[in-house]
Amino acid sequence: QVHVVESGGDLVQAGGSLRLSCAASGSIFGINAMGWYRQAPGKQRELVAVLKESGSADYADSVKGRFTISRDNAKNTVYLQMNSLKPEDTGVYYCNVEDIMRRIFWGQGTQVTVSS
């Protein structure tokens, strides 16, 4: 069994910063990619950022230059540093983990609320 746990969500004012963390544990023998998705009320879940085993990162256009994804491979942990937050960044942020067997695991999500 694999567990994916996010943390770090909070209420913050526009222009502020937050750092999200996500740790994967359990029966996981290797990770291909770890990433973050978000879902705003009434909208579909969308990709925010993903970091592949190779070290290459992809970002949604809306967060480029403001968000940075990083990873601690030894701890199976991925981080999302979010700066210059905007009200439209509000949503539930989900961690996504793809292991070497191409299995996909999701966390329960952490709420980020940006007030104007």
Side-chain angles (χ1 to χ4, degrees):
Q1 192 172 3
V2 176
H3 300 279
V4 178
V5 180
E6 304 101 332
S7 62
D10 206 344
L11 169 64
V12 64
Q13 288 188 332
S17 297
L18 282 176
R19 188 189 193 214
L20 305 183
S21 299
C22 166
S25 62
S27 301
I28 190 163
F29 303 105
I31 294 177
N32 277 342
M34 299 183 80
W36 291 94
Y37 288 68
R38 68 185 179 192
Q39 187 165 17
K43 295 187 177 182
Q44 289 188 333
R45 193 174 296 187
E46 63 175 358
L47 173 69
V48 175
V50 61
L51 187 56
K52 301 173 184 177
E53 180 67 22
S54 62
S56 64
D58 292 322
Y59 294 92
D61 288 342
S62 59
V63 307
K64 285 180 180 177
R66 300 188 297 122
F67 291 10
T68 301
I69 189 169
S70 61
R71 184 169 154 180
D72 185 335
N73 290 330
K75 297 180 179 179
N76 285 343
T77 299
V78 65
Y79 306 96
L80 185 68
Q81 178 66 43
M82 305 187 294
N83 299 327
S84 302
L85 282 161
K86 304 176 180 180
E88 51 264 43
D89 294 318
T90 293
V92 180
Y93 282 67
Y94 296 93
C95 181
N96 172 283
V97 177
E98 179 188 282
D99 74 1
I100 58 174
M101 294 183 284
R102 303 290 186 186
R103 297 180 300 175
I104 302 295
F105 304 98
W106 291 93
Q108 293 298 309
T110 185
Q111 177 70 45
V112 172
T113 303
V114 184
S115 63
S116 57

